[in-house]
Amino acid sequence: MATPEEGDDDLFGDQLATLTTSLGLPPPEFRGKQLPPTAPGDHRWIIEGNVRGRLVRTETQDIVFYKMSPNWEIGVEMAMQEALARTVQTYQQEMSQGSSFYAFGRRFEDGTANRTAGDRVGMDYRVIQMEDLECHIVNLEENLTAEMRKNENLRVTIEKLKQGNTELTMELCDMDDKLIARDTEITELKNAMMSKETPAVPHDQDMQNEEEDPEERIAFMPNGEELEIVSEEEDTPTGNTPPHQRRTISTRTYHALFNK
């Protein structure tokens, strides 16, 4: 809470305290409350201004109003300036024209600026300047409020877009996982098919064992003679070994004899 005092360093605080004291009014009070943020970065405040009415002599009503502000510091200065304008409007009949506050800008109960309608020729130039200045201040405050509401809507939209982007990213990651799993399954199926189509190649050791199996290399002739089955090259006579002394038979001869 803030209560302006005479000699106050706050903007408009000294003038407001001097004006209310001269009118016999209690010190004005200003309270602020930060609004719940609708999105990250939202720091709006609501400022309540209360220029309390007179309790002695002729009683007057409290002047209560509310303002929206981006923070407390700016909000309380804006509220004190508006309190000046509303107080001057309400108590102008009690102020002499020689008062330094008589020419101040004024505001109606709804917060709009009081600007003299029609031709202002012959009016005190200070009053004209203050009326125009008050209109300009009101326009600036309205634009500030509109920008804060616009920013609030934009922040909400941005948060929704971020949420939607997060959900899309999660969906894409899930799709990538499914594609990877499908590629792995296809690769495994291809490998399984290739293993079925390719005949098994015996190991060198197995082939060696088969070649060295003596039972598969012996041929039993009708006369009971045992001959070793060899290749054509191995069955070719060498040196002076007579054919009848060789104990071998070529593969071709073996198959020719037993396939008749």
Side-chain angles (χ1 to χ4, degrees):
M1 187 181 71
T3 301
E5 299 177 356
E6 294 186 31
D8 202 334
D9 293 334
D10 293 335
L11 192 61
F12 305 112
D14 177 61
Q15 292 89 338
L16 182 58
T18 301
L19 174 61
T20 53
T21 300
S22 65
L23 294 172
L25 302 175
E29 295 179 348
F30 299 90
R31 294 179 174 85
K33 180 180 180 181
Q34 188 173 8
L35 296 175
T38 56
D42 185 13
H43 304 294
R44 295 170 303 147
W45 283 67
I46 285 292
I47 309 298
E48 178 191 44
N50 185 3
V51 181
R52 293 182 292 172
R54 202 162 35 219
L55 301 177
V56 295
R57 296 185 301 173
T58 304
E59 293 186 8
T60 55
Q61 299 295 320
D62 294 351
I63 302 173
V64 181
F65 59 94
Y66 299 89
K67 302 189 69 64
M68 184 180 294
S69 169
N71 55 53
W72 163 254
E73 290 76 13
I74 294 177
V76 73
E77 291 179 354
M78 293 169 56
M80 287 185 181
Q81 189 280 328
E82 182 169 342
L84 271 171
R86 286 175 176 269
T87 304
V88 170
Q89 172 68 31
T90 303
Y91 294 95
Q92 190 177 38
Q93 300 301 323
E94 298 184 24
M95 292 184 289
S96 64
Q97 294 188 6
S99 170
S100 58
F101 297 104
Y102 185 82
F104 270 36
R106 294 163 290 159
R107 296 198 195 189
F108 295 114
E109 291 183 5
D110 61 359
T112 58
N114 183 353
R115 185 180 185 276
T116 302
D119 190 1
R120 295 190 293 177
V121 177
M123 289 180 57
D124 188 336
Y125 74 94
R126 296 178 304 167
V127 174
I128 295 176
Q129 288 179 339
M130 287 295 186
E131 285 184 353
D132 292 342
L133 179 59
E134 195 65 34
C135 290
H136 182 61
I137 292 173
V138 170
N139 289 334
L140 289 176
E141 291 177 353
E142 291 176 350
N143 290 335
L144 176 61
T145 301
E147 285 298 320
M148 285 190 291
R149 296 190 185 280
K150 180 180 178 180
N151 289 339
E152 175 192 2
N153 294 333
L154 288 175
R155 289 190 182 97
V156 172
T157 302
I158 290 172
E159 286 303 309
K160 290 181 179 178
L161 291 174
K162 286 182 177 179
Q163 181 65 28
N165 186 50
T166 300
E167 293 176 356
L168 287 175
T169 302
M170 294 177 64
E171 290 181 7
L172 288 174
C173 291
D174 185 55
M175 291 177 64
D176 288 341
D177 293 339
K178 291 180 178 179
L179 288 174
I180 293 173
R182 184 174 299 175
D183 289 342
T184 302
E185 183 179 356
I186 292 174
T187 302
E188 292 176 352
L189 289 174
K190 287 182 177 180
N191 293 336
M193 293 175 64
M194 291 178 62
S195 63
K196 290 181 179 180
E197 294 175 357
T198 304
V201 179
H203 296 289
D204 294 341
Q205 185 64 37
D206 296 336
M207 294 177 64
Q208 182 177 357
N209 293 338
E210 291 178 0
E211 293 176 356
E212 295 177 354
D213 190 347
E215 295 182 357
E216 295 183 1
R217 296 178 60 86
I218 302 300
F220 295 93
M221 304 304 293
N223 59 2
E225 186 180 6
E226 295 182 6
L227 299 180
E228 181 182 2
I229 302 174
V230 298
S231 64
E232 296 291 332
E233 292 78 7
E234 293 175 327
D235 193 47
T236 301
T238 58
N240 299 321
T241 305
H244 65 275
Q245 294 182 3
R246 294 197 304 271
R247 312 303 298 172
T248 62
I249 184 172
S250 68
T251 305
R252 180 183 298 176
T253 303
Y254 173 79
H255 287 294
L257 289 173
F258 290 94
N259 290 333
K260 290 182 179 180

